[in-house]
Amino acid sequence: MGGFFGVASKEDCVFDLFFGVDYHAHLGTRRAGLAVYDAQNGFDKAIHNIENAPFRTKFDKNVGTMKGQLGIGCISDYEAQPILVRSHHGTFAITTVGRINNADEIVEEIIKSNTHFFEMQNGEINPTELVAAIINQKENFIDGIRYAQELIDGSMSMLILTPKGIYAARDKLGRTPIAIGEKEGSCCAGFESFAYLNLGYTAVRELGPGEIAVMTADGVKTLVAPGKDMKICTFLWIYYGYPSSSYEGVSVEQVRYNCGKLLARRDNAQPDIVAGIPDSGTAHAIGYANEVGIPFSRPFIKYTPTWPRSFMPTQQSKRDLIAKMKLIAVHDLIENKSLLLIDDSIVRGTQMRETTDFLYASGAKEVHIRTGCPPLLFGCKYLNFSRSKSEMELITRRVIQELEDGEVTEEVLREYADPDGEKYQKMVDKICEKLHFTSLRYHRLDDMLEAVGIDADKLCTYCWNGKE
Ligand code: SF4
């Protein structure tokens, strides 16, 4: 996914920038970067690989040497950024969050104007560089950003650092958020609204879908008004967002709690304890446990001291192993118990099956699994959503393939998305059997939307129902 943060200040902004970006560390595991502009010394930039060490460790030295009154930074799950560009707009730095599905077509079009691109190691063009090139096609930043918003199939939110201020532009349909904060002499913009609260900022507002604003130390000014249509990613509340964040004024922790509560209302399981798979399953489980009056407890504790979030090998099998090693079981809470475990979602199912087998081996009598969202049936095409890169990795798709014994059309998939349909129940039963659960229930889409509580038309639910 990735996240970004920017600060405009009358004083040096590097301290706020450093911690503001650090508070986005849960959104990415590959690259991170900072770019600053100082009125006397111009631009400075640093990018590091954060696959094996956390952001804070990697940027410690840079923070000692960088200075400036304007700065942007990011945690990126894909390309190296922010990038520094010199064009007819002058020198600027840019960082982005999003996904470009039609990159090849756009590259072909832009190359006609004698522009060149550097290829990354995998032969692709750095998506942030591509956004900069699109912006450079137009006379000014505003027209350039609007052009990028129109041209890109996928989604694109960005921060652009210039000597005069920072442009903040939210994706056309607001798939990802941008929240604005301010304090005396400084203004900031970030993906996560909680990132600036402990730095002394107070929340001002969130940019609307497609809104383009410019930020200086004196405040934020809208340059292009927001559009009416919105499709913000619902997964932000279920899994991606940090519990203390809120989007569109709706708290992540509260939504997860509501999801657990509504799951419980439809359930008839009678476990001894209710537990959540840390971290995002925890709030779902508390909501469930409080609703049914069955004790919430922690049969798994996450070992955090030596496992920074960013330590994530690229190989999937190693990632699974690391994820497993981070969780330590508490045998006294497992032996001879009937457990109900809630996770935010089931993607490939491998990890959940291993966890379940381990619980049986540790003496659990029953393992009931519940999820904070409906079955994931479609791969995300709007964000670099690492959990469902290939649709055929999804446990649902593998099971449907088996049940249908042939080609699976989008129409058939939509039938499987109906929680009141026969096909849905067959799929759930099959997944339950394959993963060795005692019982399995997914959250219903209508309940999940109720848990979020904002107009359903404004929420993206594509990965669950295939509706654009
Ligand atoms: S498809 Fe799913 S993960 Fe992607 S933006 Fe929509 S809700 Fe979010």
Side-chain angles (χ1 to χ4, degrees):
M1 170 82 87
F4 53 48
F5 188 75
V7 187
S9 178
K10 291 191 168 137
E11 312 285 326
D12 189 82
C13 72
V14 174
F15 180 90
D16 286 5
L17 179 65
F18 175 65
F19 284 101
V21 175
D22 188 45
Y23 277 130
H24 289 77
H26 56 287
L27 292 171
T29 56
R30 297 192 69 199
R31 302 277 185 278
L34 299 175
V36 290
Y37 177 78
D38 178 70
Q40 308 235 295
N41 302 308
F43 285 90
D44 192 7
K45 185 187 86 160
I47 293 177
H48 293 293
N49 181 331
I50 52 163
E51 276 166 313
N52 290 310
F55 172 83
R56 237 178 296 170
T57 316
K58 284 287 177 101
F59 285 83
D60 212 27
K61 283 207 182 88
N62 302 107
V63 169
T65 59
M66 285 179 131
K67 61 182 203 148
Q69 302 74 43
L70 296 163
I72 59 173
C74 70
I75 299 286
S76 170
D77 232 358
Y78 193 57
E79 76 270 34
Q81 48 164 323
I83 59 164
L84 262 183
V85 180
R86 190 187 286 192
S87 75
H88 62 282
H89 297 314
T91 302
F92 64 94
I94 176 169
T95 181
T96 64
V97 169
R99 175 180 168 131
I100 309 176
N101 296 321
N102 54 343
D104 289 345
E105 290 96 301
I106 297 174
V107 168
E108 285 310 313
E109 191 55 38
I110 291 180
I111 279 177
K112 285 186 197 153
S113 59
N114 287 339
T115 308
H116 70 269
F117 292 98
F118 292 105
E119 286 190 356
M120 297 194 297
Q121 268 169 348
N122 60 5
E124 286 179 34
I125 306 297
N126 179 323
T128 302
E129 186 188 344
L130 184 52
V131 177
I134 299 171
I135 291 168
N136 287 337
Q137 301 296 300
K138 297 288 173 183
E139 282 305 302
N140 56 57
F141 278 114
I142 301 175
D143 288 349
I145 295 168
R146 290 178 84 161
Y147 186 43
Q149 287 173 332
E150 285 309 316
L151 209 57
I152 289 169
D153 171 36
S155 78
M156 190 50 62
S157 291
M158 66 189 92
L159 295 178
I160 299 174
L161 169 66
T162 76
K164 290 191 178 146
I166 296 170
Y167 290 89
R170 189 173 171 192
D171 169 59
K172 191 171 61 170
L173 288 174
R175 301 251 181 217
T176 51
I178 298 182
I180 307 291
E182 67 180 16
K183 67 180 177 184
E184 184 64 40
S186 297
C187 195
C188 70
F191 185 114
E192 292 288 30
S193 58
F194 79 93
Y196 46 73
L197 297 178
N198 283 1
L199 296 168
Y201 293 80
T202 49
V204 176
R205 67 185 180 92
E206 294 172 52
L207 295 192
E211 182 173 350
I212 304 173
V214 65
M215 183 170 82
T216 63
D218 296 319
V220 170
K221 197 169 108 193
T222 296
L223 302 172
V224 175
K228 284 198 184 74
D229 297 334
M230 182 164 74
K231 284 284 173 194
I232 183 170
C233 168
T234 309
F235 232 125
L236 287 168
W237 283 281
I238 304 301
Y239 167 68
Y240 262 115
Y242 205 70
S244 43
S245 243
S246 57
Y247 312 110
E248 301 302 315
V250 178
S251 150
V252 170
E253 182 76 355
Q254 184 66 54
V255 168
R256 292 181 188 167
Y257 185 94
N258 294 347
C259 282
K261 184 172 78 176
L262 294 172
L263 252 173
R265 284 195 186 157
R266 288 189 192 265
D267 211 348
N268 52 9
Q270 292 292 318
D272 298 314
I273 61 168
V274 174
I277 303 285
D279 294 316
S280 42
T282 304
H284 292 107
I286 295 173
Y288 187 109
N290 285 353
E291 181 65 17
V292 290
I294 296 171
F296 167 81
S297 60
R298 297 195 297 162
F300 292 109
I301 314 282
K302 198 168 184 182
Y303 192 73
T304 47
T306 55
W307 292 107
R309 162 76 173 91
S310 55
F311 180 67
M312 264 299 169
T314 39
Q315 216 182 326
Q316 189 61 52
S317 57
K318 287 262 166 46
R319 290 173 82 108
D320 290 345
L321 182 67
I322 298 298
K324 195 164 83 180
M325 284 165 69
K326 280 183 189 173
L327 293 181
I328 317 274
V330 182
H331 282 269
D332 292 355
L333 298 180
I334 296 171
E335 203 161 10
N336 283 323
K337 296 275 192 325
S338 167
L339 310 169
L340 186 139
L341 290 186
I342 309 189
D343 204 354
D344 51 78
S345 53
I346 300 177
V347 183
R348 291 174 312 124
T350 336
Q351 220 172 300
M352 201 51 132
R353 187 181 136 166
E354 284 178 7
T355 304
T356 305
D357 287 345
F358 169 78
L359 288 168
Y360 287 131
S362 307
K365 274 196 310 194
E366 294 178 332
V367 182
H368 303 271
I369 301 294
R370 304 292 181 260
T371 66
C373 70
L376 288 165
L377 289 165
F378 299 85
C380 176
K381 54 183 183 182
Y382 305 112
L383 300 168
N384 268 327
F385 183 56
S386 56
R387 296 187 104 198
S388 59
K389 270 204 173 125
S390 154
E391 289 185 331
M392 285 322 292
E393 282 187 9
L394 296 169
I395 179 81
T396 48
R397 294 295 283 268
R398 284 185 279 129
V399 162
I400 293 170
Q401 188 86 35
E402 256 179 71
L403 291 170
E404 290 294 318
D405 197 21
E407 204 199 329
V408 182
T409 61
E410 296 235 330
E411 207 183 327
V412 171
L413 283 173
R414 289 208 183 90
E415 288 174 35
Y416 279 93
D418 174 8
D420 299 316
E422 216 176 286
K423 289 200 166 189
Y424 175 93
Q425 199 49 53
K426 274 199 183 140
M427 170 186 73
V428 173
D429 291 346
K430 192 87 184 154
I431 294 172
C432 183
E433 183 195 313
K434 270 186 181 292
L435 303 184
H436 304 169
F437 306 151
T438 308
S439 73
L440 169 66
R441 262 174 194 263
Y442 283 91
H443 206 17
R444 287 172 60 107
L445 188 66
D446 47 1
D447 285 349
M448 186 180 75
L449 295 176
E450 187 186 329
V452 177
I454 61 177
D455 182 355
D457 285 346
K458 296 193 179 310
L459 294 166
C460 175
T461 52
Y462 177 80
C463 49
W464 299 290
N465 61 5
K467 288 194 184 149
E468 298 188 3

